[in-house]
Amino acid sequence: MSSNNNADGWRFKKGNPEYDRYIHSAAWRQIADRRLEQDNYTCCVCGKPATEVHHLTYEHFGNEQLDDLVSLCHRCHIEAENLYDPAITPWAMNEVKPGGNNFMAAMRADAYQVAPVVFEYLVEVRGKDFDSLMRLRQPADKEGKKYWSVLKKAVNALCRKRYSMSCVEDRRAMMLETLTNHIEVICLSQIEHSVRNAVQSSLHDVVTTDYALFGTWKSVSEELGLSSGTVQKLRSDDGTSFGPSLRETVLYYCGLDAVAGIRPIVGFSCLSDADYKVLNSMADYMTEVSGDGSFKGEYIREDAKDA
C-alpha cells in the first residue's frame, strides 16, 4: 500500500540541505520555468496568476518530468501542502487501520472527510455563485464533451501528492477519481440549489409575464418554435422542475458514489424517495461487501490454493 515516497518524506522539506540545494539550483529553475510557461503562468486551482511550481510526486526528484509538476499561486501551493501533510489533514488509512488495512474503507473515509474541505477551498478562491460553479463543470476538450475538466485539474493539483505519499499508482488513481466524483456531487447539489432559487424561478416569472403580455400562448409558442408540451410545462412550472438532464446527471454521479459505498447527499429536489432508497441500498451493500476497515483479504486463484 505504501510507496517509497512515504519513508523518505523528510527529505523533501525546507530546511533539509539536499532539498534546499536543489530547489535553488539552475536545473530546478529551468524545469520550473518550463512548467509555468506550459501552464500559461496560470494557477491550475484558482485560475489566478501562478508564481510557484508544486511537486505532484517526488518519485523523480532531481530529474522531474513536466507531468510531475503543476503551476500554482502561493496561496494554492500552501493549501496543496496542507492536504499533503498528515499532521494537518490526516490520511484516512490511519483511521481505518486499527481494524485492518482495507483500501475501500479508506477511500470512502477520505472522500467523506477531504471532499468537503477541497470543495470549500475551491469556492473560496473561485466563487460560489452559479456561474463560478458552472465553470468548474466546463469541459476543456475541443468537442466539449469531457465535463468537469476544470475541477479535475484542480483536484489533481491539490491532492495528487497526498496519495503519491501513501498509494501505488493504480490506487492513487482510484483515490483521486473517487474524491473528484464526490466533489462533483457536492457541486451539483449547490448548482441545483442555485437553479431552483435563482435561475428557474426567475425564468418562470419572465416567461409567464411575457406570455401574459402577448395575450396568447399558442401564437407565441409557434413563433418561438416551442412544442405544446413545452408550453404547458412553462405555464405550470413553479420553479422547482429541472427536466431529465439534471436528474440524470445527479443520478449518474450519485450512482458512482454509491458504487464506492458512499451514501448520496440529502436534499436533491430532482431525486425522489425511490431514488434515494435505491442509492442508499447500493451504498450500504458495497460497504457491507468491502467492510468498514477490517481487511477482507485479496482474491486467491483456485489453482494457487492447491499449490
Side-chain angles (χ1 to χ4, degrees):
M1 186 66 191
S2 297
S3 67
N4 293 331
N5 293 341
N6 197 26
D8 294 336
W10 63 272
R11 294 175 50 214
F12 310 112
K13 293 184 178 180
K14 292 180 180 178
N16 176 47
E18 178 190 0
Y19 177 86
D20 289 340
R21 189 163 46 247
Y22 176 65
I23 289 299
H24 290 91
S25 69
W28 165 250
R29 190 66 262 163
Q30 183 178 30
I31 191 169
D33 286 344
R34 287 173 59 200
R35 181 71 263 179
L36 284 166
E37 183 178 359
Q38 186 162 316
D39 290 330
N40 295 316
Y41 296 89
T42 301
C43 177
C44 292
V45 174
C46 68
K48 296 180 176 66
T51 55
E52 302 176 11
V53 173
H54 171 64
H55 278 86
L56 295 172
T57 174
Y58 290 124
E59 185 176 357
H60 306 114
F61 183 73
N63 189 32
E64 293 89 352
Q65 307 297 310
L66 282 180
D67 288 343
D68 295 340
L69 310 169
V70 67
S71 301
L72 300 176
C73 67
H74 179 66
R75 182 181 182 183
C76 292
H77 198 174
I78 291 175
E79 184 67 14
E81 292 296 338
N82 288 343
L83 288 166
Y84 169 65
D85 189 344
I88 299 175
T89 312
W91 163 231
M93 185 57 76
N94 296 333
E95 297 191 11
V96 301
K97 205 164 187 177
N101 61 346
N102 188 311
F103 173 76
M104 290 294 289
M107 190 168 68
R108 283 194 298 274
D110 225 44
Y112 276 127
Q113 295 171 16
V114 178
V117 174
V118 174
F119 178 76
E120 285 302 319
Y121 180 77
L122 287 175
V123 296
E124 182 181 343
V125 296
R126 281 185 165 271
K128 58 178 64 177
D129 58 284
F130 178 79
D131 288 339
S132 296
L133 291 171
M134 288 300 289
R135 275 193 288 272
L136 287 174
R137 185 175 177 266
Q138 285 180 351
D141 58 305
K142 293 181 180 179
E143 294 78 18
K145 295 180 179 179
K146 297 180 180 178
Y147 290 98
W148 301 108
S149 300
V150 175
L151 177 63
K152 289 176 180 177
K153 195 172 184 180
V155 173
N156 184 67
L158 287 170
C159 299
R160 184 170 146 200
K161 187 163 79 166
R162 171 181 177 82
Y163 302 123
S164 296
M165 170 181 63
S166 305
C167 297
V168 294
E169 178 60 33
D170 60 337
R171 292 192 168 184
R172 177 168 62 211
M174 287 179 66
M175 273 287 186
L176 285 170
E177 288 172 4
T178 301
L179 179 66
T180 303
N181 182 75
H182 196 51
I183 295 172
E184 289 165 354
V185 173
I186 296 173
C187 191
L188 279 170
S189 70
Q190 296 300 309
I191 289 174
E192 189 202 46
H193 181 77
S194 296
V195 168
R196 181 171 62 250
N197 292 325
V199 179
Q200 286 282 29
S201 293
S202 297
L203 178 62
H204 174 255
D205 292 340
V206 170
V207 171
T208 302
T209 302
D210 285 352
Y211 277 0
L213 289 174
F214 279 112
T216 170
W217 289 73
K218 185 176 181 181
S219 61
V220 174
S221 64
E222 290 175 350
E223 181 69 24
L224 296 176
L226 301 177
S227 67
S228 58
T230 300
V231 171
Q232 291 301 316
K233 190 69 174 176
L234 288 169
R235 294 183 69 174
S236 61
D237 183 24
D238 61 0
T240 61
S241 176
F242 309 103
S245 59
L246 180 59
R247 171 178 155 74
E248 289 172 358
T249 301
V250 170
L251 274 172
Y252 174 74
Y253 286 103
C254 285
L256 291 178
D257 263 0
V259 171
I262 299 172
R263 281 182 151 230
I265 293 174
V266 297
F268 277 111
S269 296
C270 60
L271 297 186
S272 66
D273 291 341
D275 295 329
Y276 272 107
K277 184 176 181 180
V278 171
L279 291 167
N280 286 327
S281 178
M282 172 59 75
D284 293 344
Y285 173 72
M286 292 304 296
T287 300
E288 180 183 346
V289 169
S290 61
D292 58 0
S294 57
F295 183 56
K296 297 275 183 171
E298 300 290 346
Y299 172 72
I300 302 176
R301 297 199 325 266
E302 289 299 319
D303 57 350
K305 291 180 182 178
D306 300 331

